């Protein structure tokens, strides 16, 4: 009898383990995704952070274009290195509040995996406050080929997505976020993501932010030449041609997938 009672108790306990794990996952899902690189890539203090971004924006001037930008390609190094460069792009959307959502596509530097991970947390939290996630858009993207949720990708200290967020908060104020991380640089995965994003673009007014640095560690003149070639290829070449140039080493960008 004692053995049966112990076995029954053990069975109940084992049954509670999955339940407890499930409840814990629900609790975590409801909590905002917290900042991982605040204090390293950008200031952790809200006042200092807003001042750094405001000063960077003041060093730039918007173009005379009247059209509302739909796509930005921004660098994601630490703010002391790429803050002004990123602010140059963000300046184009400053004060525009007409976007239904902002899709930010980062690229994992360390953890490689197939396809693209879409984060399904309800919100992100930076030193400047809470950013709600557009869960309807997230659900749509997760239903598309090669797009899925990989928790370890978003729980890591990957910075390419996160460093975009305070810049967007200062420029736009409130907005709804759709956070993605690409885990590979294959043409097939990039094309699958592009097709999914093109379909999402038909659903309201979206802003697409692609996070990438270009060349690294070259003398200034060489870096300018390489980066100009990369920008020209992105603007005027086909995806197949751009992919071939990257694989040949003719172009450089750590976020080549997006």
């Amino acid at each position: 009898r004692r053995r049966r009672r112990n076995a029954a108790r053990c069975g109940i306990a084992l049954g509670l383990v999955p339940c407890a794990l499930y409840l814990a996952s629900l609790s975590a899902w409801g909590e905002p995704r917290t900042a991982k690189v605040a204090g390293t890539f950008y200031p952790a203090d809200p006042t200092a952070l807003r001042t750094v971004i405001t000063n960077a924006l003041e060093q730039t001037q918007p173009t005379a274009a009247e059209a509302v930008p739909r796509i930005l390609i921004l660098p994601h190094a630490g703010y002391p290195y790429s803050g002004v460069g990123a602010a140059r792009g963000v300046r184009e959307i400053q004060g525009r509040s007409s976007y239904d959502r902002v899709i930010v596509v980062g690229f994992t530097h360390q953890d490689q995996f197939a396809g693209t991970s879409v984060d399904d947390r309800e919100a992100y939290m930076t030193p400047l406050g809470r950013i709600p996630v557009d869960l309807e858009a997230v659900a749509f993207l997760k239903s598309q080929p090669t797009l899925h949720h990989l928790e370890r990708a978003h729980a890591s200290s990957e910075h390419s997505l996160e460093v975009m967020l305070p810049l967007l908060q200062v420029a736009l104020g409130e907005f709804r976020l759709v956070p993605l991380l690409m885990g590979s640089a294959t043409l097939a995965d990039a094309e699958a993501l592009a097709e999914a994003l093109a379909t999402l673009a038909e659903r309201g007014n979206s802003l697409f932010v692609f996070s990438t640095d270009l060349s690294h560690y070259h003398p200034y003149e060489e870096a300018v030449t390489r980066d100009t070639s990369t920008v020209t290829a992105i603007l005027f070449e086909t995806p197949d041609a751009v992919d071939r140039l990257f694989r040949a080493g003719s172009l450089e960008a750590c976020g080549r997938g997006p």
Side-chain angles (χ1 to χ4, degrees), residues 34-44 76-79 125 127 156-164 166:
T34 56
K36 301 295 193 302
V37 298
T40 53
F41 279 73
Y42 57 84
H76 56 228
Y79 285 8
M125 184 69 73
S156 72
S157 58
E158 173 57 48
H159 64 276
S160 61
L161 190 159
E162 181 184 326
V163 297
M164 302 290 103

Side-chain angles (χ1 to χ4, degrees), residues 60-254:
T60 69
Q61 293 294 327
T63 64
E66 295 183 3
V68 177
R70 296 291 303 276
I71 297 174
L72 294 176
I73 301 176
L74 303 178
H76 56 228
Y79 285 8
Y81 307 101
S82 67
V84 174
R88 173 64 186 84
V90 170
R91 186 73 171 84
E92 298 294 330
I93 61 168
Q94 189 172 17
R96 300 180 187 269
S97 58
S98 59
Y99 297 111
D100 296 311
R101 65 189 65 87
V102 179
I103 297 93
V104 180
V105 183
F107 188 82
T108 55
H109 288 75
Q110 303 295 331
D111 187 13
Q112 303 299 300
F113 54 88
T116 299
S117 180
V118 188
D119 200 1
D120 52 12
R121 284 292 179 99
E122 290 183 347
Y124 271 56
M125 184 69 73
T126 79
L128 299 183
R130 185 178 184 273
I131 308 172
V133 169
D134 185 342
L135 294 177
E136 182 178 349
V138 164
F140 166 74
L141 290 175
K142 285 172 63 179
S143 71
Q144 302 304 298
T146 78
L147 276 73
H148 52 92
H149 173 74
L150 184 64
E151 176 61 22
R152 74 168 194 258
H154 301 279
S156 72
S157 58
E158 173 57 48
H159 64 276
S160 61
L161 190 159
E162 181 184 326
V163 297
M164 302 290 103
L165 303 183
L167 289 160
L168 293 168
Q169 286 177 294
V170 172
L172 294 175
E174 296 183 356
F175 63 93
R176 293 193 300 163
L177 173 67
V178 181
L180 299 95
L181 285 172
M182 286 197 73
S184 81
T186 67
L187 180 60
D189 281 346
E191 289 181 328
L193 175 58
E195 185 172 343
L197 294 183
T199 303
L200 184 60
E202 299 173 356
R203 304 183 176 192
N205 183 26
S206 299
L207 171 66
F208 297 88
V209 178
F210 297 95
S211 173
T212 183
D213 293 331
L214 297 184
S215 64
H216 288 65
Y217 311 120
H218 299 294
Y220 178 77
E221 294 299 332
E222 182 180 351
V224 170
T225 300
R226 286 177 174 268
D227 293 350
T228 300
S229 297
T230 299
V231 172
T232 301
I234 290 171
L235 291 174
F236 300 110
E237 295 287 357
T238 65
D240 285 328
V242 171
D243 182 60
R244 285 196 303 270
L245 289 168
F246 270 122
R247 287 189 285 108
S250 301
L251 307 178
E252 291 185 30
C254 60

Side-chain angles (χ1 to χ4, degrees), residues 32-55:
R33 181 78 66 187
T34 56
K36 301 295 193 302
V37 298
T40 53
F41 279 73
Y42 57 84
D45 177 75
T47 301
L49 176 57
R50 188 173 292 275
T51 298
V52 165
I53 295 173
T54 301
N55 289 342

Side-chain angles (χ1 to χ4, degrees), residues 1-26:
R1 290 180 181 176
R2 184 176 297 173
R3 288 180 179 176
R4 285 198 296 270
R5 285 197 300 268
N6 290 339
R9 290 170 181 167
C10 183
I12 292 172
L14 289 174
L16 290 174
V17 169
C19 182
L21 291 174
Y22 174 71
L23 292 174
S25 68
L26 287 181

